[in-house]
């Protein structure tokens, strides 16, 4: 079988127009540390999980001269991301560890920040800024059920931690233990997640690029699937890349869905998600349109990939707007417009 994703995606710079958008919506900040500063570590040790498996993260450490300055800057970054940015919080914070991931496109740093008064801790991630990832994060914030918190500083991207069980870990160690009702709930969420990724053109949702979020709800557990990796936003030409169902890492969830849900139910959940996307796109219309203007004036993919995707979506929908699209931003605008036109007013009681 031909691989859907064959080459590493290049990073795209942040345009002046996108930077102005980020400033308007309080995403741009000024702090005295960049991603490249964290690359100056002096040594490292491998990080293993509770089962003794190498996580592909390494815990890094810095020279005594740089450690204090780096940790103070990271504490301030935490305060800006999660509080009012004041210094009042800083004496109560400790940087427990700085981990570096050697796997994947973004090569992030994971910072463990602990409150010394109560031992509660939280993670934040620092990555090299990439326009594709920023568009993906912002679209997640506007179009998904989940608000997401991130900041940009020059060529540095700071993201909050998204809690949940990594998809690959959940599939391997938890799925078989679920009840039949839970499996139907998981299948439903996979259908909706699949549809949401496709409509907003978020690609490469292999099982390690999303998490399963479990919430106790009266007499049941509610399951939600959340994307945690956004750098394949509107990049690939093959439309299958934007549907998690076609990625082999998700085969078990695809098989589960076909076993526990009838075709009519699958179609129902697809329509539900399209309708919700249409409502979100309409309620966030002003900000979404500003973001799409930035995307239309940006380069996010090679021309041949854009043409391939444009042709595929035109054949799928028959919508002439796809034929007119000249770049990935216009393709996404056409996709969202198609959903709003066809699903926003489906409910006859509205």
């Amino acid at each position: 079988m031909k691989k859907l994703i064959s080459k590493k995606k290049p990073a795209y710079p942040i345009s002046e127009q996108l930077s102005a958008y980020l400033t308007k919506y309080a995403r741009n900040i000024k702090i005295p540390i960049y991603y490249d500063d964290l690359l100056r570590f002096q040594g490292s040790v491998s990080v293993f999980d509770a089962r003794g498996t190498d996580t592909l993260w390494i815990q890094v450490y810095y020279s005594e001269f740089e450690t204090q300055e780096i940790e103070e800057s990271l504490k301030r970054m935490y305060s800006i991301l999660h509080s009012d940015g004041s210094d009042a919080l800083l004496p109560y914070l400790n940087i427990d560890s700085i981990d570096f991931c050697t796997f994947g496109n973004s090569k992030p740093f994971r910072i463990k920040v602990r409150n010394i008064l109560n031992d509660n801790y939280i993670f934040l991630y620092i990555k090299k800024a990439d326009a594709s990832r920023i568009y993906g994060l912002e679209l997640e914030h506007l179009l998904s059920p989940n608000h997401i918190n991130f900041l940009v500083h020059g060529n540095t991207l700071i993201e909050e931690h998204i809690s949940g069980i990594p998809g690959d870990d959940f599939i391997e160690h938890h799925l078989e233990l679920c009840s039949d009702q839970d499996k139907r709930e998981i299948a439903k969420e996979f259908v909706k997640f699949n549809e949401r990724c496709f409509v907003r053109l978020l690609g490469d949702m292999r099982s390690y690029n999303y998490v399963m979020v479990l919430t106790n709800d009266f007499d049941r557990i509610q399951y939600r699937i959340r994307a945690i990796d956004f750098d394949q936003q509107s990049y690939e030409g093959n439309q299958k890349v934007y549907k998690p169902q076609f990625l082999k890492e998700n085969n078990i969830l695809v098989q589960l869905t076909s076993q526990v849900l009838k075709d009519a139910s699958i179609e129902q959940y697809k329509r539900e998600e399209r309708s919700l996307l249409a409502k979100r796109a309409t309620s966030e219309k002003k900000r979404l349109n500003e973001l799409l203007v930035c995307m239309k004036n940006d380069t996010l993919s090679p021309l041949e990939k854009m043409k391939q995707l444009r042709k595929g979506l035109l054949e799928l929908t028959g919508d002439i707007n796809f034929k007119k699209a000249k770049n990935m931003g216009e393709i996404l605008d056409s996709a969202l417009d198609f959903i709003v036109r066809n699903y926003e007013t489906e409910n006859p009681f509205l």
Side-chain angles (χ1 to χ4, degrees):
M1 181 178 176
K2 186 178 179 182
K3 289 179 69 176
L4 293 180
I5 304 170
S6 57
K7 294 182 179 179
K8 183 178 178 181
K9 186 193 81 68
Y12 289 94
I14 299 172
S15 67
E16 289 186 13
Q17 191 172 16
L18 177 57
S19 182
Y21 169 93
L22 294 170
T23 299
K24 178 178 179 179
Y25 290 102
R27 298 291 199 189
N28 265 332
I29 60 168
K30 294 179 180 179
I31 50 171
I33 191 168
Y34 290 91
Y35 174 89
D36 290 346
D37 294 328
L38 295 178
L39 290 173
R40 300 200 302 265
F41 51 85
Q42 300 294 302
S44 65
V45 292
S46 297
V47 177
F48 297 88
D49 65 16
R51 301 182 184 92
T53 305
D54 191 343
T55 62
L56 301 179
W57 288 85
I58 56 174
Q59 185 172 325
V60 301
Y61 54 88
Y62 299 85
S63 68
E64 186 177 349
F65 172 75
E66 288 188 300
T67 297
Q68 183 175 354
E69 182 181 349
I70 287 174
E71 289 188 353
E72 285 300 311
S73 295
L74 293 175
K75 291 176 189 178
R76 190 174 302 280
M77 188 181 291
Y78 171 90
S79 178
I80 297 169
L81 187 66
H82 289 287
S83 186
D84 59 0
S86 70
D87 293 349
L89 191 64
L90 304 188
Y92 309 111
L93 300 178
N94 188 69
I95 304 300
D96 275 10
S97 63
I98 302 174
D99 299 335
F100 179 59
C101 184
T102 56
F103 176 75
N105 282 338
S106 60
K107 290 187 167 52
F109 285 92
R110 179 177 63 195
I111 317 300
K112 183 179 179 181
V113 185
R114 179 170 55 89
N115 186 313
I116 62 176
L117 295 179
N118 53 35
D119 266 356
N120 285 335
Y121 65 87
I122 197 168
F123 293 104
L124 58 89
Y125 296 84
I126 300 177
K127 306 172 182 179
K128 186 161 285 189
D130 170 18
S132 302
R133 177 177 289 273
I134 290 171
Y135 284 121
L137 284 162
E138 191 68 10
L139 287 164
E140 178 77 1
H141 182 75
L142 298 175
L143 295 176
S144 83
N146 316 295
H147 287 286
I148 195 162
N149 200 7
F150 71 93
L151 298 167
V152 179
H153 174 50
N155 68 342
T156 300
L157 175 64
I158 305 103
E159 293 180 28
E160 68 176 355
H161 176 66
I162 299 175
S163 299
I165 303 172
D168 53 347
D169 184 88
F170 183 85
I171 290 170
E172 183 176 356
H173 300 289
H174 301 271
L175 185 58
E176 278 304 310
L177 303 177
C178 293
S179 67
D180 290 344
Q181 180 57 43
D182 284 346
K183 288 179 179 178
R184 285 191 289 270
E185 177 75 15
I186 292 164
K188 167 191 169 183
E189 287 305 313
F190 183 69
V191 170
K192 293 169 79 72
F193 179 66
N194 189 74
E195 198 65 19
R196 188 161 64 246
C197 291
F198 181 52
V199 170
R200 53 157 293 195
L201 300 182
L202 176 62
D204 193 20
M205 281 298 107
R206 287 176 275 194
S207 55
Y208 46 77
N209 286 333
Y210 58 80
V211 294
M212 189 71 71
V213 182
L214 282 61
T215 306
N216 286 308
D217 181 24
F218 290 101
D219 59 348
R220 66 170 186 149
I221 295 176
Q222 187 181 60
Y223 295 85
R224 291 288 182 269
I225 301 177
R226 288 194 64 178
I228 58 172
D229 194 320
F230 301 94
D231 67 341
Q232 288 279 346
Q233 175 65 49
S234 304
Y235 174 73
E236 290 289 350
N238 188 341
Q239 59 178 293
K240 289 185 176 181
V241 174
Y242 302 105
K243 285 194 170 187
Q245 71 182 83
F246 290 113
L247 302 173
K248 62 181 176 61
E249 289 82 359
N250 298 321
N251 281 349
I252 291 177
L253 291 183
V254 174
Q255 293 164 9
L256 173 68
T257 301
S258 64
Q259 290 167 5
V260 302
L261 294 182
K262 295 181 180 179
D263 290 345
S265 293
I266 292 173
E267 191 58 34
Q268 172 200 339
Y269 295 140
K270 285 182 180 180
R271 297 179 77 86
E272 283 182 12
E273 193 59 34
R274 291 170 191 167
S275 181
L276 286 170
L277 279 163
K279 289 179 174 66
R280 293 185 196 115
T282 302
S283 65
E284 295 284 358
K285 186 174 182 179
K286 181 179 181 295
R287 183 165 172 175
L288 181 60
N289 282 344
E290 291 180 36
L291 183 68
L292 289 170
V293 167
C294 294
M295 289 188 75
K296 291 174 187 177
N297 292 322
D298 226 334
T299 298
L300 297 173
S301 182
L303 184 61
E304 60 271 16
K305 289 183 183 290
M306 186 279 295
K307 289 181 177 179
Q308 181 188 4
L309 183 60
R310 180 178 65 187
K311 180 182 177 183
L313 294 178
L314 176 62
E315 292 174 351
L316 178 68
T317 65
D319 189 337
I320 195 67
N321 286 333
F322 286 111
K323 188 175 183 179
K324 299 175 184 176
K326 298 181 179 65
N327 54 48
M328 283 295 192
E330 292 187 6
I331 289 178
L332 178 59
D333 190 19
S334 298
L336 295 174
D337 178 67
F338 178 84
I339 290 296
V340 170
R341 280 188 287 112
N342 288 281
Y343 294 93
E344 183 188 22
T345 57
E346 261 207 344
N347 191 329
F349 298 98
L350 295 177

